[in-house]
Amino acid sequence: MNFQSADQFVDAIVEKLKAARRKTVEDASNRDMFYAVSAIVKERINSAWVETQTIYKQKKVRQIYYLSMEFLIGRLLESNLLNCGLLDICNEALTALGFQPKEVYAAEHDAGLGNGGLGRLAACFLDSMASLQFPGHGCGIRYRYGLFEQRIIQGNQIELPDYWLKEEYPWETRKDEEAVEVQFGGEVEMLTKIDGSLEFRYHNTDKVMAVPYDIAVVGYHNKTINTLRLWSAESPDFEQNISSQGGAKYYHELEHQHSIEQISGFLYPDDSVYEGKLLRLKQQYFLVAASLKSILSSFKKNYRLPLTQLQEKVVVQINDTHPSLAIPEFMRILMDEERFGWDDAWKMTQQVFAYTNHTTLSEALEKWPVEMMKQLLPRIYMIIHEMNERFCKNIWFDHPELRDELPGLAIIADNQIHMARMAVIGSFSVNGVARIHTDILKNQEMKHFYTLFPDRFRNKTNGITHRRWLLQVNPRLAGLVSDTIGKKWVKQPSKLISLLRYSKDASFLNKIDDVKKHNKQLLSSFIYTKTGIMTDPASIFDVQIKRLHEYKRQLLNIFHVIHLYNELKDNPAMNVVPRTFIFGAKAAPSYHLAKEIIKLINQTAFIINNDKTISEKLKVVFLENYNVSLAEHIIPAADISEQISTASKEASGTGNMKMMMNGAITLGTLDGANIEIKALVGEKNMFIFGLTAEEVLYYYQHGGYVARDIYEVDERVRRILDQLNDGAFGSQEMEFKDIYYNILSHNDPYFVLKDFDSYIEAHELVEQAYRDRNTWLSMSVTNIAYSGKFSSDRTIQEYASEIWRVRPIKGWKFLI
Ligand SMILES: *Cc1c(COP(=O)(O)O)cnc(C)c1O
């Protein structure tokens, strides 16, 4: 059904409400409306989905599979409407029916199947692949519980389960007929056949059924629909087993079923901290085994080509090492099931897989104990072992200069399996996610691998979909941009650069100012509704929203806030530009120090917001449960984007890109993609401070930094640290002693004190710049203008031409 007008859409909604919800408009809730509109959109999507699949099959196109343990897709109704070209009509129709469109869209539960940046990147990539008409699909896990929901109670983070499937999820389609079996454990028997070849048989394995749930990924105005396939773990022939067994066996069977379902039970709530747990390893293997089985079977069924051509038609991108077991699993299938020899299988494997590295933080580099791998995946372990033997022999004989380095290169060392090393060795491409990050990989972390395989390494700076992060979340800014430079930027975001011509145009700057003011008013009332805190839209909205981690240095931010507060208390007449500091951050539930920092932010906020003497000048807001939807509320209203990680630690960051695109100015260190932002806008259009990555790495290697020296010399710092202990921001003394000792006894591992002075100075420059309206607005416009480079469309085009070697299927009349 094509909708020409809002009237037609109104009719469709009224019908759907009756048919699917048994409701009239009068007794429909926002949620009923959400389901009705979703059903209408889903029907539209389904027919285009079938068409896209048919074309892929007919043309036997080369397909991309993006394997990821996380897809942080957020809500889908509004972005699906936008991409289908129905958003305006739907907004009009809902309004005509007496509903607030935003409230209807907010009835959708966020799909929080990711921790943060890595999972959100996967979601942006899916959007860009479909919008650019690349045949690219996601493979992930349908966790029954997504990332925990955060509540703040008396300053403390409390975690609640996120049961996002409680009410029906309208975007998924269960595909029973495409379920596959995955095997764990058991024993491996090796037989030598008459012809001398080896055969491997598995005995006593635990069998798990992987059932796919497919979600449509809708391209922007192009009728291309790709697939995000999420796997759910179920017990095979559970009903059969249960009905044929009585008594105690019945309960045993139920327990067994429960343990199987645990595999897709919940998302591990760790970000940047590697968590080595048996269940997590099961999840990883479950994802790769099910995905590869389904990729191979659709290749065989749809393409009818010999398996030896698979690498021409399939490329698999591995999102960090979490899905890197795909490499030995693919070897296993080729050898044990398809009867390839090692060499042929290895050659193929190395043509299929490409690996993205996301971090150089050593605590985040995945390693699994040999014993655990052997027990859970005996055949996979044998293959990893053989990969390692062959690799080590090759180094020993062909690269004698690297013999001493073997312990740092081998896949298996110290009884541990080093997943990043395996991923590098088993794939044809290794990429970092921003220039500096790739340079650190090539020249430090993986320098020997880089000498061994120089052609394998490349950079792919991350990106974000400008459709969600500008068109959808900031319609006023998007509209103003289109009115000013035309609409071409929507399909070609690099065209945003045309805005530069208006960066000194007074009337345009006024309009930019109006848009930001409006967005700040909206956020201000949102904050009031959520927290009861009154904020002034005329104040500087200074925003830090991201996972809570020591290296991201929310601590440095709150130290600055405390410093400002101290100054205002000392000198109440001080003339300052009013500031509103906005935080959003979840800490991993077991990350004690991170939770203490959350508490410090909240307690500081409580003291400051309730201090009548300064209430006009300073406000601190911690918005609980930071997720995609909350990001969508905050980002359009940000003036300052805090990107203050310890240099060298943040691989890329993508929050920095989202805020830049919405006209916020970056206050940051020379880290991750901040460096590339600076290369574009220049240092006049952002606020840079702090140690460089080189300096940080120098201190780590050679020492020479003593945090206590700064504490002794800098009164401002001493006062803040002492306040942590004397109860100024707590309900008791020593409440924040772990933060205190981390800095003074553990020598401030993330250089908070070292960068403090430079950070304060940068904030003073922020204030000066903000006082000069036109300068500020012109900086803001310059940032928007250059942000096109950070559209994930650019990133995906680079992956497509330089790694995947696929072309868009544009121009096929069927799809246009
Ligand atoms: C973009 C995004 C992130 C990543 O933010 P960084 O600042 O790059 O760490 C994390 N969580 C959510 C919900 C996001 O939308």
Side-chain angles (χ1 to χ4, degrees), residues 569-597:
K569 292 304 276 183
D570 291 349
N571 185 2
M574 199 166 72
N575 180 14
V576 295
V577 181
R579 295 254 206 160
T580 302
F581 291 92
I582 297 164
F583 291 86
K586 287 181 186 175
S590 58
Y591 192 169
H592 170 75
L593 201 57
K595 292 174 116 173
E596 202 167 292
I597 295 169

Side-chain angles (χ1 to χ4, degrees), residues 72 116-117 120 469 545-546 552 626-628 631 653-655 658:
L72 190 47
R120 184 54 231 173
W469 295 110
I545 44 174
K546 49 185 74 245
K552 291 177 182 281
Y626 179 55
N627 61 10
V628 172
T654 49
K658 296 169 197 163

Side-chain angles (χ1 to χ4, degrees), residues 601-659:
I601 297 171
N602 279 291
Q603 305 268 60
T604 305
F606 184 80
I607 299 282
I608 292 178
N609 298 339
N610 290 299
D611 188 331
K612 298 276 182 305
T613 62
I614 54 119
S615 66
E616 304 294 297
K617 293 175 178 161
L618 199 53
K619 283 281 160 64
V620 184
V621 179
F622 187 103
L623 289 168
E624 63 188 2
N625 201 35
Y626 179 55
N627 61 10
V628 172
S629 302
L630 187 56
E632 291 171 6
H633 274 107
I634 298 170
I635 287 169
D639 292 312
I640 282 289
S641 159
E642 298 262 3
Q643 307 298 336
I644 59 178
S645 54
T646 309
S648 81
K649 297 285 180 188
E650 186 74 89
S652 163
T654 49
N656 45 3
M657 302 169 183
K658 296 169 197 163
M659 285 200 263

